[in-house]
Amino acid sequence: MNDQSTLRKMRKLILLPFLLFSCLLMSQVHPQDIALFPQSNPFRNLSDLSGIWNFKKDPENIGVNNKWFEGLHQTRPIAVPGSWNEQFTDSRDYLEVVWYETKTFVPADWSTEEVWIRFGSVNYHATVWVNGERLGIHEGGHLPFAFEISKVIQPGNHNSIVVRVENELKPSRVPTGNVPNGFFTNYPKSNFDFFPYAGINRKVWLYTLPKKGKINDITVKTDFENTTGKIAIAIEKTGKANSGEITLLGGPKTITKSFTFSGGKAMVEIEVPEVNLWSLKNPFLYDLRVVLKDGRHPLDRYELPVGVRTVSVNEKSILLNGEPVFLKGFGKHEDFPIFGRGVANPVIVKDYALLKWIGANSYRTSHYPYDEEYYRMADREGILIIDEIPAVGLFFHGDKNDLAERQRMCKQYLEELYYRDKNHPSVIMWCVANEPFSEKMNFSLEGGEPTDPNSIVAFQELFDLIKSLDDTRLTTLVGVMGGPLEWIGMADVVCINRYWGWYAQSGEIAKGAAVLNQEIEGLYAAFKKPIIVSEFGVDTYSGMHAEQAEMFTEEYQKEFIKAYLDVADSKDFVTGMHIWAFADFKTTQGIIRFGGMNYKGVFTRDRKPKMAAHYLRERWNEKE
Ligand code: BDP
């Protein structure tokens, strides 16, 4: 046995107890705990912990040993929510350990309730203490997690909340970084083309649930037949109550139904005469109210907007309520100067205003799930969402343990995503990965490289998992130029990112469009499934012009987009065109990312339209 392998074995032996211990701790967070977004009503309280918290870097990772969870010293202020990378003048590329701390008053009358804490998203690895007591950990950014804190909280007092966070880039993480022989050579070493913004990026909530009995989960599935809507509602509860009442408001007649639980679960079906379907033109939302009862006494209540609609697919189209729908829109990012990937409602509102202004009807949450507010807006505004987990740039070479851990994380992401987003009518498709690649891929049209059999097993597991959780939505996997056909063929809808006329056939838009034309004909013949070109775009410096379209000018972007849309218009099996990207966004540093930016936005980073935006506005509104 050589030294290397002895070392590896020893490392594994040392790590084993630690890994087992971490797994035990991780069982404390359960995806079902994030199923119902906290709300305030006569049975539930809610308190938003946004504000300026205390922050301290821990580059030597000494905080746990020195009990920083009991209180931080010599801190600097930081905004929560918000990424840390741009709030200071010295921490842009810092991704190692940091600590956050805040104190919050908890009302005395919360002592009779169950108290919980929920983090909207912490990138990437979080350990949480309340009043010095360790609650547990959560791994993975972009999705919420919650802990019950009834036993450690002191109602009627100020309580301390401390969070240890790190966002190191590792091959075992999702998204991946520091990949040996990775495709990207950027700094920091992300294996993806967006900045790895770190920290408590979304809101933190304290909330109460009724102690005697509570609604844990509601799953709504909708259908219709002629003019009658059908809503199937699955409810899960814990505690005393054994019956309940459901009310559907918003239609000409209020519908009420009583139900009883068996084994903590209940299933209620409602028929809605003269149903008002949720559609792009009329995103009608009913108000569903679920009340839990102990005899005649209500114990808990939860309200949920419900859109009655169906999503399906045929050989050529995605169907919304049985009608073909053509997806016009973008791949986006959660990205804005100063707060990075931190959520900010004015940006969300503005982005929806711009989506409407330009005539878009959909987008993909590339390359990770977005803040909940985006989905609630989409439900209200009638925008369709392809909901993606951060499985971007997956590869299948390298350390087997890393790959296994990464696969475990992909599954966790899918499960958490499902629980968080399953009741949004706007979500029509789950995306299990963006642009996986094989080691030898040459980004040519042929896509001829043999597929690693492990990759087929891995993706099949992800498709099976999401299908087993949700049989009411479509699935996809977004393919890269030259990627193996087996991967994209596994999906309900074939999604491909294409840059012919940019990364290949550079400067030659017509040639690029011809390649696209030929390629999608071939793909349709092979799969007989509808196709979405889920990314196509070119870097464009706002204000750069040429009388003949030339790379990086606004004219080139407009002509490129026009050429691709023309190809799509000539094929009845193309069911959507998503431009890359909605707005310019921050990336890591590398020679193809001038100023650490990707300039493929149709809007600038501060949401000013480029020439192509005006072009799209005319073209997409005309098509309507
Ligand atoms: C695709 C990726 C996307 C990149 C884009 C680009 O899916 O994340 O930003 O290309 O190169 O490969 O601009």
Side-chain angles (χ1 to χ4, degrees), residues 30-39 46-49 53 80 115-122 128 135 143-149 161 200 202-207 216 302 371-372 376 416 419-421 424:
H30 189 274
Q32 202 171 26
D33 293 338
I34 60 165
L36 298 181
F37 190 82
Q39 62 182 219
L46 182 58
S47 148
D48 176 358
L49 301 189
W53 291 35
V80 170
V115 186
W116 286 72
I117 189 166
R118 173 175 171 125
F119 292 82
S121 150
V122 181
V128 184
L135 301 177
L143 282 168
F145 57 94
F147 293 105
E148 194 196 337
I149 56 173
I161 295 160
I200 304 182
R202 296 187 191 146
K203 286 190 177 180
V204 184
W205 305 93
L206 280 193
Y207 58 103
N216 287 334
Y302 196 84
D371 185 77
E372 275 112 323
R376 300 209 295 206
E416 291 179 352
Y419 273 104
R420 192 194 67 159
D421 293 346
H424 290 288

Side-chain angles (χ1 to χ4, degrees), residues 193 367 434-435 497 499 503 535 580 585 593 598 600:
D193 187 33
H367 293 304
N434 176 77
E435 295 201 347
N497 295 346
Y499 292 89
Y503 291 123
E535 280 185 28
W580 190 255
F585 60 92
R593 291 292 173 257
N598 185 313
K600 295 196 184 70

